[in-house]
């Protein structure tokens, strides 16, 4: 038996749970799950299964579901339990609560109510992927799940083009090939990238290459499991605004705005929208 029943103060306990391998859970997390008065989870079946694996008994406690489709009533119910002097644990289906998972409204409401809240940290697919990818970890930007629609996804990727750090996002296995193709077009075909799949699980896979290479590798390929995509920061030399403006003015003097924007954006490897915005400003002036 790896857990201990410990006295807990009234409050809210966010619990990090494994992203794959059940034994990645911490001893403190098991202690909290065994000891709190009230258990809440994004997926009650998953938490019940995890507790069964580690021999943590429910001991007559009910398990309350709190997920993206839960109303305010569930949050109010959990905070009311804390106000009554009870300890409440909340766990997402996998990994850390709130990180591309439910729990934010509960955390915000607890803070607004002045409720004691703490966290038993655990595994995170983001950090695990960063460790394994071999890309810089001194700075990174987590973009969550990108939009599923192609146009919206392209727009989101273009906005991330010059983020000064490694880009990290989650992706559905059904959209992986399309997302990589859009990333190749929006961020640059030669940008280094890594696809991490089924982290900590039996069929863990780490695949590296340029965005173009990975897009081709996953085009039309059916994959399964949880996926993290990482993209290296933009390492191309940045063009000064003055130089960009000079090139755009020169192009506008000899061709249409549309052709000028296309020409300059391709020449400097910049998003067309950025160059078009400057062309509009020049036209006004």
């Amino acid at each position: 038996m790896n857990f201990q029943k410990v006295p807990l103060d009234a409050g809210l306990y966010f619990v990090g749970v494994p992203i794959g391998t059940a034994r990645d859970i911490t001893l403190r997390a098991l202690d909290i799950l065994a000891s709190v008065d009230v258990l809440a989870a994004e997926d009650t079946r998953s938490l019940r299964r995890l507790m069964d694996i580690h021999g943590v008994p429910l001991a007559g406690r009910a398990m309350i579901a709190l997920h993206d489709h839960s109303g305010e009533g569930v949050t109010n119910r959990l905070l009311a339990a804390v106000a009554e002097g009870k300890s409440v644990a909340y766990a997402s289906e996998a990994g850390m609560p709130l990180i591309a998972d439910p729990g934010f409204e509960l955390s915000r409401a607890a803070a607004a109510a002045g409720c004691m809240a703490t966290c038993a940290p655990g595994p995170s697919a983001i950090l695990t992927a960063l460790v394994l990818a071999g890309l810089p970890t001194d700075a990174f930007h987590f973009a969550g799940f990108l939009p599923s629609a192609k146009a919206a996804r392209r727009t989101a990727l273009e906005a991330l083009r010059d983020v000064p750090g490694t880009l990290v996002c989650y992706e559905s296995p059904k959209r992986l090939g399309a997302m990589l193709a859009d990333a190749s077009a929006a961020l640059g075909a030669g940008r280094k990238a890594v696809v991490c799949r089924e982290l900590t699980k039996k069929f863990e896979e780490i695949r590296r290459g340029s965005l173009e290479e990975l897009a081709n590798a996953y085009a039309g390929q059916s994959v399964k499991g949880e996926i993290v995509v990482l993209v290296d920061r933009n390492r191309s030399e940045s063009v000064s605004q003055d130089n960009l403006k000079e090139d755009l003015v020169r192009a506008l003097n000899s061709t249409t705005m549309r052709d000028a924007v296309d020409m300059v954006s391709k020449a400097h490897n910049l998003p067309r929208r950025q160059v078009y915005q400057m062309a509009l400003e020049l036209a006004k002036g």
Side-chain angles (χ1 to χ4, degrees):
M1 189 167 64
N2 292 320
F3 67 88
Q4 299 176 358
K5 290 205 66 174
V6 295
L8 295 173
D9 293 331
L12 182 60
Y13 296 78
F14 290 100
V15 178
V17 294
I19 58 176
T21 302
R23 290 182 65 81
D24 283 341
I25 196 165
T26 68
L27 295 177
R28 180 173 175 233
L30 290 176
D31 291 348
I32 290 172
L33 293 176
S35 305
V36 289
D37 300 309
V38 179
L39 291 159
E42 175 189 5
D43 187 319
T44 56
R45 291 172 299 179
S46 293
L47 183 57
R48 176 65 185 270
R49 185 162 55 249
L50 181 66
M51 290 171 62
D52 286 344
I53 289 172
H54 292 286
V56 178
L58 273 179
R61 296 171 295 174
M63 198 175 285
I64 301 168
L66 189 156
H67 43 68
D68 286 332
H69 305 292
S70 300
E72 290 184 10
V74 178
T75 293
N76 293 338
R77 179 181 173 188
L78 296 176
L79 294 185
V82 174
E84 294 169 1
K86 295 180 179 179
S87 54
V88 177
Y90 177 73
S92 59
E93 183 177 0
M96 290 289 289
L98 282 75
I99 311 302
D101 269 331
F104 169 68
E105 295 299 337
L106 178 60
S107 178
R108 181 166 64 174
C115 168
M116 190 289 284
T118 189
C119 178
S124 164
I126 303 165
L127 299 181
T128 304
L130 281 165
V131 169
L132 295 176
L135 295 177
T137 58
D138 57 321
F140 64 90
H141 176 85
F142 177 54
F145 283 95
L146 295 172
S148 57
K150 183 180 182 66
R153 185 167 57 235
R154 280 280 187 101
T155 299
L157 285 164
E158 287 175 358
L160 297 170
R161 182 185 184 92
D162 295 315
V163 169
T166 298
L167 299 178
V168 186
C169 66
Y170 291 158
E171 191 50 86
S172 159
K174 294 181 180 179
R175 294 194 298 266
L176 179 59
M179 175 267 170
L180 290 168
D182 287 339
S184 178
L187 303 178
R191 289 267 287 262
K192 292 181 180 179
V194 181
V195 173
C196 298
R197 188 175 66 85
E198 292 290 82
L199 291 172
T200 79
K201 299 178 184 176
K202 181 178 180 180
F203 297 106
E204 178 177 279
E205 177 186 59
I206 312 295
R207 195 162 185 174
R208 302 176 178 85
S210 69
L211 278 171
E212 183 176 40
E213 290 168 344
L214 291 173
N216 290 335
Y218 285 103
Q221 185 181 137
S222 177
V223 296
K224 296 180 180 180
E226 304 293 328
I227 294 170
V228 185
V229 178
L230 305 95
V231 183
D232 196 6
R233 69 191 66 183
N234 187 1
R235 298 185 181 278
S236 62
E237 294 184 8
S238 59
V239 59
S240 72
Q241 290 297 298
D242 288 341
N243 289 339
L244 180 60
K245 188 174 181 179
E246 289 176 8
D247 289 350
L248 187 54
V249 168
R250 192 178 301 114
L252 287 169
N253 287 334
S254 60
T255 187
T256 65
M257 179 183 288
R258 178 176 180 178
D259 289 342
V261 169
D262 284 341
M263 185 187 308
V264 174
S265 62
K266 289 178 180 177
H268 291 289
N269 199 24
L270 290 172
R272 189 182 187 283
R273 186 177 56 173
Q274 178 182 335
V275 180
Y276 179 66
Q277 187 62 42
M278 178 175 282
L280 289 177
E281 292 172 2
L282 288 171
K284 290 177 183 177

